[in-house]
Amino acid sequence: SGLTNLILASSNVEEPTSSGLLGAAAQVGGTSIAVSDSTLSGYLTTAVESPSRADSAAATTELATTLALIGLESGPQPNITFASVARNWGDFDTNFDRTLSTLSSRSWSSEAKLADVFNTTPTIVKITNSPQPTARISAVSAMIAAENGEAQFSVIADDPAALTSSRRLLLLALLSNEWVGDSTTWATEVTGYLDDTRDIVESVQIVDLSNVNIYADSASLPVKISNNLDQGVTVYLAVTPTSTKVSIDPNHRFQEVTVSANSQKLVQIPVQALSNGSAKLIAILYSHTRQQIGHSQTIDVNVQAGWEVLGTFIFAALVLAVFALGIIRNIRKRRKARRGEVDPDDEDTVTVKDDA
């Protein structure tokens, strides 16, 4: 993968002879390798992590004895020996300090730096082929793909790093070899990571729209965008008709929309009806990098533009009819007044009580 320096266990490399490596320095192609002796590392780990002082001392003695024998075999020119411990060695710092102090006190030992290993003439080795289980490879591939998806999505956020940094650390933790011995728990954590990724990339969406009816030659199409993140986002809304029955002004087909944290934003899209019937429009959100955000939404539109004209005509006819009836009634009143007749509608009714 282009790395020039690696740390590997001795079980990861194939030694050229049965006598073993002459020190910790090795090389494969153009890559320098510091080889950690698996046997010595086992003794060191036991000495550090032993719960009792006696067990720790016994493991330290085995380690010191083995190192002394290696020193005798190396001859007058000492070789650097490399051993490693698990990442949780800090939990046993007392044993760790005691073990290293014991080794350093031996007259035949001295300290060396890791850089000294890479500067030593290496032994040419081969990498041991240790294929990983198919299930683990698939899970790692899925997590890496999920992280890429999060990175592409995060550009819409006001602070992308706040969204991706913690997720990156979690991914690195899940890629640790410490999980190899507990595949069940690791699989559960991987599932949780992928579920959280899906929730993140689906947190900004176009809200599902029901059928929209248009009864005019022009109308505004409401499109609602939701943002469930705890920070604001900026997206670009694209609305495209798939039918010639409606059209959208080019200036409104692609527009920038800012949505505050944990809120929704309603966008009105001007739509022009060209003919009656059913039509569909496709609404999609994009980032400024033209990466699609969320799922596309199909909006079903029922266009009945003639109803606006018909409704206006009916309303005008009703107003005209009321006005005409008023004129006719006034004319009738005047004619009856000239003939001395009384319009029943204008006659005052008086009730008289008969006391007789």
Side-chain angles (χ1 to χ4, degrees):
S1 297
L3 298 175
T4 56
N5 295 308
L6 291 179
I7 297 176
L8 298 177
S10 56
S11 57
N12 296 141
V13 299
E14 295 180 10
E15 303 171 359
T17 64
S18 59
S19 60
L21 296 177
L22 300 176
Q27 184 174 345
V28 173
T31 302
S32 298
I33 303 173
V35 180
S36 173
D37 190 296
S38 298
T39 302
L40 296 178
S41 297
Y43 291 148
L44 179 58
T45 299
T46 302
V48 171
E49 298 184 3
S50 292
S52 68
R53 178 75 176 270
D55 291 340
S56 177
T60 301
T61 299
E62 289 185 286
L63 176 60
T65 302
T66 304
L67 286 172
L69 293 175
I70 292 176
L72 291 174
E73 293 178 356
S74 63
Q77 182 62 37
N79 293 319
I80 299 175
T81 302
F82 179 28
S84 57
V85 293
R87 292 182 175 87
N88 62 341
W89 65 268
D91 297 336
F92 312 94
D93 55 349
T94 301
N95 286 352
F96 185 81
D97 290 341
R98 184 187 305 114
T99 301
L100 291 189
S101 296
T102 300
L103 295 177
S104 299
S105 65
R106 307 289 177 163
S107 59
W108 41 259
S109 70
S110 61
E111 295 179 355
K113 297 179 180 180
L114 185 60
D116 296 334
V117 176
F118 293 118
N119 292 329
T120 302
T121 302
T123 301
I124 304 302
V125 296
K126 295 181 179 180
I127 300 295
T128 300
N129 184 22
S130 302
Q132 294 292 311
T134 302
R136 180 174 174 83
I137 293 175
S138 298
V140 170
S141 299
M143 287 193 293
I144 292 176
E147 189 209 18
N148 290 334
E150 288 181 16
Q152 294 173 350
F153 169 84
S154 66
V155 298
I156 69 174
D158 292 344
D159 185 4
L163 187 63
T164 59
S165 58
S166 60
R167 300 289 296 165
R168 174 68 172 175
L169 292 175
L170 179 57
L171 173 62
L172 293 176
L174 289 173
L175 295 178
S176 169
N177 287 332
E178 294 291 327
W179 294 97
V180 173
D182 191 357
S183 58
T184 301
T185 303
W186 184 74
T188 301
E189 295 295 328
V190 170
T191 300
Y193 177 88
L194 296 176
D195 289 343
D196 290 343
T197 296
R198 183 167 52 254
D199 291 340
I200 290 173
V201 299
E202 293 181 356
S203 59
V204 178
Q205 288 280 359
I206 298 174
V207 179
D208 291 340
L209 296 174
S210 58
N211 293 345
V212 177
N213 295 315
I214 297 179
Y215 299 111
D217 291 336
S218 60
S220 293
L221 181 70
V223 179
K224 187 179 294 184
I225 302 171
S226 65
N227 172 23
N228 294 329
L229 294 176
D230 57 2
Q231 58 174 304
V233 298
T234 299
V235 293
Y236 293 84
L237 173 62
V239 181
T240 306
T242 63
S243 169
T244 58
K245 292 181 174 64
V246 295
S247 66
I248 299 176
D249 189 295
N251 294 328
H252 294 89
R253 289 188 178 185
F254 193 81
Q255 55 183 299
E256 179 180 308
V257 182
T258 299
V259 188
S260 302
N262 298 307
S263 65
Q264 295 183 342
K265 183 71 171 290
L266 184 64
V267 182
Q268 298 288 352
I269 307 296
V271 178
Q272 185 73 29
L274 302 180
S275 62
N276 293 338
S278 299
K280 293 182 182 295
L281 295 94
I282 306 297
I284 306 176
L285 293 180
Y286 292 95
S287 66
H288 69 270
T289 59
R290 290 285 183 166
Q291 179 70 30
Q292 181 173 335
I293 303 299
H295 304 292
S296 62
Q297 291 289 344
T298 300
I299 306 172
D300 293 319
V301 178
N302 180 29
V303 183
Q304 297 295 334
W307 283 103
E308 180 189 37
V309 178
L310 179 60
T312 302
F313 176 77
I314 293 174
F315 179 76
L318 290 174
V319 172
L320 182 61
V322 171
F323 184 69
L325 288 174
I327 294 174
I328 293 173
R329 186 169 180 271
N330 287 333
I331 293 173
R332 288 179 59 192
K333 284 182 180 180
R334 291 178 181 179
R335 287 180 177 177
K336 289 181 179 181
R338 291 171 185 166
R339 293 194 300 266
E341 298 177 0
V342 179
D343 192 330
D345 293 338
D346 296 334
E347 183 179 6
D348 293 333
T349 302
V350 179
T351 302
V352 179
K353 181 178 182 182
D354 187 359
D355 295 333

